[in-house]
Amino acid sequence: GQNIDQPTEMTATEGAIVQINCTYQTSGFNGLFWYQQHAGEAPTFLSYNVLDGLEEKGRFSSFLSRSKGYSYLLLKELQMKDSASYLCAPMDSNYQLIWGAGTKLIIKP
Amino acid sequence: GAVVSQHPSWVICKSGTSVKIECRSLDFQATTMFWYRQFPKQSLMLMATSNEGSKATYEQGVEKDKFLINHASLTLSTLTVTSAHPEDSSFYICSARDTEPYEQYFGPGTRLTVT
């Protein structure tokens, strides 16, 4: 079956760094997306990894290890507006995104 | 990035009536559009996938006669909730993508309340 495992909730301090881990199992693999979703809003795209390694984009970086079925999203210099849910979504062999429940990130001052 | 609009952003309707939600890709051609439903504090649930000019593919458990999807052009897809009931109240979100790199661009969502 297809499965995604992320922590349900994480708490971090403003200005700090947080890493959100994701392990996945899919039928085939065509890359992995990270989305951010604020409460009551639709998801917005953060990153896409298809090859192993680290992709850096400003304060956000995403890492992928295909052999381990593992990815993480790294958020630096946390701001209060980063409080949101972060969704790890691998793409299967049919190019469909597989969605988990996401990780709710709470930022404290 | 690409922009996807959704209309209306919220709607309240009476039980038994039908509601149509529009999803438009504003600056790209969406060969594929997706319709999701999300209940509070739950994950996105894919309802159906539609390709322009062909019938939608519904996920298991989603009634195709109740949730009518039309993807008539490369920039417009509609979801019609027929004979709506209170249990259909949810946040409906569409997304669209072109061909590679397969990123899905999401609309802002439509909050449906059935009274």
Side-chain angles (χ1 to χ4, degrees):
Chain A
Q2 310 205 94
N3 185 60
I4 296 168
D5 192 23
Q6 291 180 247
T8 304
E9 187 173 298
M10 298 180 71
T11 302
T13 305
E14 190 176 15
I17 298 173
V18 71
Q19 177 174 312
I20 302 174
N21 295 322
C22 170
T23 57
Y24 63 88
Q25 289 179 312
T26 56
S27 301
F29 181 76
N30 281 296
L32 184 143
F33 292 84
W34 282 94
Y35 282 84
Q36 179 191 61
Q37 186 176 24
H38 284 100
E41 298 181 10
T44 56
F45 170 78
L46 290 178
S47 68
Y48 173 59
N49 294 64
V50 65
L51 298 176
D52 290 351
L54 186 68
E55 294 274 347
E56 297 185 74
K57 189 186 292 186
R59 294 190 298 116
F60 293 1
S61 302
S62 56
F63 171 84
L64 175 67
S65 169
R66 289 171 296 172
S67 62
K68 296 181 179 178
Y70 168 70
S71 175
Y72 69 72
L73 180 69
L74 190 71
L75 293 78
K76 302 176 184 176
E77 301 170 19
L78 287 170
Q79 302 174 10
M80 297 303 293
K81 67 179 182 180
D82 296 330
S83 292
S85 288
Y86 291 86
L87 311 175
C88 163
M91 190 185 308
D92 68 11
S93 57
N94 293 319
Y95 298 96
Q96 297 279 42
L97 291 180
I98 310 303
W99 298 95
T103 298
K104 182 179 180 181
L105 178 63
I106 299 169
I107 309 298
K108 295 186 175 180
Chain B
V3 179
V4 176
S5 70
Q6 230 177 295
H7 178 79
S9 55
W10 60 270
V11 57
I12 302 172
C13 71
K14 292 186 177 180
S15 187
T17 61
S18 295
V19 174
K20 180 184 282 188
I21 303 170
E22 289 188 352
C23 177
R24 293 180 185 272
S25 58
L26 299 185
D27 51 2
F28 69 103
Q29 293 186 327
T31 52
T32 306
M33 285 185 166
F34 303 86
W35 287 95
Y36 293 89
R37 181 166 56 182
Q38 188 174 36
F39 294 105
K41 299 184 179 180
Q42 293 189 22
S43 61
L44 288 168
M45 189 197 82
L46 179 66
M47 299 175 67
T49 302
S50 72
N51 293 296
E52 184 264 340
S54 60
K55 290 184 178 180
T57 302
Y58 290 81
E59 295 299 304
Q60 194 171 7
V62 178
E63 301 173 59
K64 62 181 180 181
D65 294 331
K66 181 172 180 61
F67 299 99
L68 302 178
I69 293 172
N70 187 323
H71 191 165
S73 76
L74 284 171
T75 59
L76 173 65
S77 176
T78 60
L79 167 68
T80 301
V81 183
T82 62
S83 187
H85 292 287
E87 57 265 32
D88 298 325
S89 298
S90 187
F91 190 43
Y92 291 86
I93 312 170
C94 74
S95 70
R97 74 172 187 215
D98 198 347
T99 49
E100 296 188 41
Y102 300 108
E103 175 188 338
Q104 289 187 29
Y105 301 96
F106 284 85
T110 297
R111 194 161 301 281
L112 170 64
T113 302
V114 184
T115 61

